[in-house]
Amino acid sequence: MSQTKTIPVIAVDGPGGAGKGTVSRSVADRLGWHYLDSGALYRVAGYAVVRDGLDHASPEELGKFVSKLDIGFRTGANNTEQVLLDDVDLGGEIRTEAAGKAASAIATVPEVRKALIKLQRLFRRRPGLVADGRDMGTVLFPDASLKIYLTASATERALRRHKQLKDKGIDGSLAALLADIISRDRRDAQRVVAPLKPAFDAVCIETTGIPVEVVVRQVLVLAREVFGTAT
Ligand code: DC
C-alpha cells in the first residue's frame, strides 16, 4: 500500500447547494484536518477557459490548457480561504452562478477531469482530509473509509443559494436560481465521466429542513466510529 493510502479521508459528495461546503469545512476545522474544495478547482478552470475565449476548444486542447493552469489556495484574513490563479486571488468572481455554469460545462470534458486529478490528490496530507465535490468517493478517493452523500430538495437548495448570495450583497432571482440548479443537477448527473452519484458504500444524509450544525454532528459521530477521532 502506498504511504498516502494510509492517510484518512472523509469524502463528501452531493449536488450543488446541499451544504457540502459548509459541512465539510466545519468538520475539517473541528478535526484539524485539511479541506479540499474541488468545486473551486473546476470553477477556476471554467473561469480561465471563458476568460481566454476557449469555450469552443477541442477536449484535448482544454485538457492541455487546464493542466498548465497555476491554481493555488491560501488562507486569507479572518481565516477565509482564497483561490488563486497565477498567484492572484480571484475573490468572489468564481462564486457567481455564471462561474458555476462554466465549471459544470467544462467538468463534462474527460480530459479536463483527468488534468485536475493529480492536484486534488495532493491535498491528501496528514493528519487527514475532508474532500468536498461530486466524485470524491467514486473516483478521487475510492478507498476513503468514510463517504457521505448529502442531498436536499432543489427548492431548499435554491433558497439556501439565494440567502448565501443575499448575505454577500448579490441579488438573484429565486426562480432563475432554481432553474439553474435543476439544469446543473441534470448535467452533473448525466455526464459520461464521473457522474454525480453516491458511492455504493456512501452514507446518504437528506438535509432538507435540517440545521447545518445537526448534519455536522452526524458526520463527526460517524468519523469517531470509523477513525476513532476525538470530537
Ligand atoms: O461544488 P461547486 O458548485 O463549486 O461545483 C461547481 C461545478 O464543478 C459543478 O457544477 C460540477 C463541477 N464539479 C465536478 O464536476 N466535480 C467535482 N468534484 C466538483 C465540482
Side-chain angles (χ1 to χ4, degrees), residues 20 38-39 42-43 100 103-104 107 113 133-136 161 184 188 191:
K20 290 176 297 170
S38 64
Y42 284 92
R43 283 170 182 268
S104 172
R113 304 200 70 84
R134 303 291 191 289
D135 57 348
M136 300 295 103
R161 274 268 201 257
R184 195 126 72 87
D188 291 349
R191 67 178 175 228

Short mmCIF file of all heavy atoms in Angstrom, two decimals, residues 20 38-39 42-43 100 103-104 107 113 133-136 161 184 188 191, ligand 1:
data_model
loop_
_atom_site.label_atom_id
_atom_site.label_comp_id
_atom_site.label_asym_id
_atom_site.label_seq_id
_atom_site.Cartn_x
_atom_site.Cartn_y
_atom_site.Cartn_z
N LYS A 20 -22.59 20.87 1.26
CA LYS A 20 -21.30 20.15 1.35
C LYS A 20 -20.18 21.05 1.84
O LYS A 20 -19.39 20.65 2.69
CB LYS A 20 -20.87 19.62 -0.02
CG LYS A 20 -21.69 18.49 -0.54
CD LYS A 20 -21.21 18.13 -1.93
CE LYS A 20 -21.43 19.23 -2.80
NZ LYS A 20 -21.25 19.78 -3.89
N SER A 38 -13.08 20.86 -4.13
CA SER A 38 -12.77 20.50 -5.52
C SER A 38 -13.59 21.33 -6.51
O SER A 38 -13.14 21.61 -7.62
CB SER A 38 -12.98 19.01 -5.77
OG SER A 38 -14.33 18.67 -5.60
N GLY A 39 -14.79 21.77 -6.09
CA GLY A 39 -15.60 22.61 -6.97
C GLY A 39 -14.86 23.88 -7.33
O GLY A 39 -14.99 24.39 -8.45
N TYR A 42 -12.70 23.38 -10.35
CA TYR A 42 -13.47 23.41 -11.59
C TYR A 42 -13.92 24.83 -11.92
O TYR A 42 -13.99 25.24 -13.07
CB TYR A 42 -14.66 22.44 -11.51
CG TYR A 42 -14.22 21.02 -11.66
CD1 TYR A 42 -13.91 20.24 -10.54
CD2 TYR A 42 -14.04 20.45 -12.92
CE1 TYR A 42 -13.46 18.94 -10.67
CE2 TYR A 42 -13.59 19.15 -13.07
CZ TYR A 42 -13.30 18.40 -11.95
OH TYR A 42 -12.85 17.12 -12.09
N ARG A 43 -14.24 25.59 -10.86
CA ARG A 43 -14.67 26.98 -11.08
C ARG A 43 -13.52 27.83 -11.64
O ARG A 43 -13.71 28.61 -12.57
CB ARG A 43 -15.18 27.59 -9.77
CG ARG A 43 -16.59 27.10 -9.43
CD ARG A 43 -17.01 27.50 -8.03
NE ARG A 43 -18.32 26.98 -7.73
CZ ARG A 43 -19.48 27.62 -7.94
NH1 ARG A 43 -19.46 28.86 -8.40
NH2 ARG A 43 -20.63 27.04 -7.69
N GLY A 100 -20.30 29.06 -11.93
CA GLY A 100 -20.77 27.71 -11.63
C GLY A 100 -21.17 26.98 -12.90
O GLY A 100 -20.87 25.80 -13.10
N ALA A 103 -18.10 26.09 -14.87
CA ALA A 103 -17.44 24.95 -14.22
C ALA A 103 -18.15 23.65 -14.58
O ALA A 103 -17.52 22.65 -14.96
CB ALA A 103 -17.44 25.14 -12.70
N SER A 104 -19.48 23.67 -14.49
CA SER A 104 -20.25 22.47 -14.78
C SER A 104 -20.06 22.04 -16.23
O SER A 104 -19.99 20.85 -16.55
CB SER A 104 -21.72 22.75 -14.46
OG SER A 104 -22.54 21.70 -14.87
N ALA A 107 -16.61 20.58 -16.72
CA ALA A 107 -16.48 19.35 -15.92
C ALA A 107 -17.00 18.13 -16.66
O ALA A 107 -16.77 17.00 -16.24
CB ALA A 107 -17.22 19.52 -14.59
N ARG A 113 -11.15 16.68 -16.51
CA ARG A 113 -11.22 15.97 -15.22
C ARG A 113 -9.88 15.29 -14.94
O ARG A 113 -9.37 15.34 -13.83
CB ARG A 113 -12.35 14.93 -15.22
CG ARG A 113 -13.72 15.50 -15.54
CD ARG A 113 -14.83 14.58 -15.08
NE ARG A 113 -14.92 14.55 -13.64
CZ ARG A 113 -15.57 15.45 -12.90
NH1 ARG A 113 -16.22 16.43 -13.47
NH2 ARG A 113 -15.59 15.36 -11.58
N GLY A 133 -16.98 17.43 -3.04
CA GLY A 133 -17.14 17.50 -4.50
C GLY A 133 -18.29 16.68 -5.02
O GLY A 133 -19.36 16.59 -4.39
N ARG A 134 -18.09 16.12 -6.22
CA ARG A 134 -19.13 15.30 -6.85
C ARG A 134 -18.66 13.85 -6.99
O ARG A 134 -19.46 12.94 -7.07
CB ARG A 134 -19.44 15.81 -8.26
CG ARG A 134 -19.87 17.26 -8.35
CD ARG A 134 -21.24 17.43 -7.73
NE ARG A 134 -21.82 18.75 -8.01
CZ ARG A 134 -21.40 19.89 -7.49
NH1 ARG A 134 -20.40 19.90 -6.64
NH2 ARG A 134 -22.01 21.03 -7.78
N ASP A 135 -17.33 13.67 -7.06
CA ASP A 135 -16.79 12.33 -7.36
C ASP A 135 -15.67 11.96 -6.38
O ASP A 135 -14.77 11.21 -6.73
CB ASP A 135 -16.25 12.31 -8.80
CG ASP A 135 -15.18 13.37 -9.04
OD1 ASP A 135 -15.02 14.26 -8.18
OD2 ASP A 135 -14.49 13.31 -10.07
N MET A 136 -15.73 12.53 -5.17
CA MET A 136 -14.67 12.26 -4.20
C MET A 136 -14.67 10.78 -3.79
O MET A 136 -13.63 10.13 -3.73
CB MET A 136 -14.84 13.15 -2.95
CG MET A 136 -14.79 14.64 -3.23
SD MET A 136 -13.19 15.20 -3.84
CE MET A 136 -13.50 15.38 -5.57
N ARG A 161 -29.02 29.03 -1.63
CA ARG A 161 -28.16 29.82 -2.51
C ARG A 161 -28.60 31.28 -2.51
O ARG A 161 -27.79 32.20 -2.47
CB ARG A 161 -28.24 29.31 -3.96
CG ARG A 161 -27.31 28.19 -4.28
CD ARG A 161 -25.96 28.68 -4.85
NE ARG A 161 -25.30 27.61 -5.59
CZ ARG A 161 -24.28 26.90 -5.14
NH1 ARG A 161 -23.74 27.16 -3.97
NH2 ARG A 161 -23.76 25.94 -5.88
N ARG A 184 -28.19 22.24 -13.75
CA ARG A 184 -26.83 21.82 -13.36
C ARG A 184 -26.85 20.38 -12.81
O ARG A 184 -25.97 19.58 -13.12
CB ARG A 184 -26.28 22.80 -12.32
CG ARG A 184 -24.82 22.71 -12.09
CD ARG A 184 -24.12 24.05 -12.26
NE ARG A 184 -24.38 24.99 -11.18
CZ ARG A 184 -23.67 25.03 -10.07
NH1 ARG A 184 -22.72 24.16 -9.85
NH2 ARG A 184 -23.91 25.95 -9.16
N ASP A 188 -24.62 17.45 -14.32
CA ASP A 188 -23.64 16.77 -13.47
C ASP A 188 -23.95 15.26 -13.36
O ASP A 188 -23.05 14.43 -13.28
CB ASP A 188 -23.61 17.38 -12.06
CG ASP A 188 -23.02 18.80 -12.06
OD1 ASP A 188 -22.45 19.21 -13.09
OD2 ASP A 188 -23.13 19.49 -11.03
N ARG A 191 -23.47 13.28 -17.16
CA ARG A 191 -22.23 13.23 -17.93
C ARG A 191 -21.66 11.82 -17.88
O ARG A 191 -21.92 11.06 -16.92
CB ARG A 191 -21.23 14.27 -17.42
CG ARG A 191 -20.72 13.98 -16.05
CD ARG A 191 -19.70 15.02 -15.60
NE ARG A 191 -19.36 14.75 -14.23
CZ ARG A 191 -19.33 15.65 -13.27
NH1 ARG A 191 -19.60 16.91 -13.50
NH2 ARG A 191 -19.02 15.29 -12.05
O1 DC B 1 -19.42 22.44 -5.87
P1 DC B 1 -19.48 23.60 -6.85
O2 DC B 1 -20.87 24.16 -7.06
O3 DC B 1 -18.50 24.67 -6.52
O4 DC B 1 -19.02 22.95 -8.27
C1 DC B 1 -19.10 23.66 -9.48
C2 DC B 1 -19.21 22.68 -10.64
O5 DC B 1 -17.99 21.95 -10.76
C3 DC B 1 -20.31 21.63 -10.53
O6 DC B 1 -21.50 22.02 -11.16
C4 DC B 1 -19.74 20.42 -11.18
C5 DC B 1 -18.24 20.60 -11.13
N1 DC B 1 -17.59 19.71 -10.18
C6 DC B 1 -17.31 18.43 -10.61
O7 DC B 1 -17.67 18.06 -11.73
N2 DC B 1 -16.61 17.57 -9.81
C7 DC B 1 -16.24 17.95 -8.58
N3 DC B 1 -15.55 17.10 -7.81
C8 DC B 1 -16.55 19.25 -8.10
C9 DC B 1 -17.24 20.10 -8.92
#
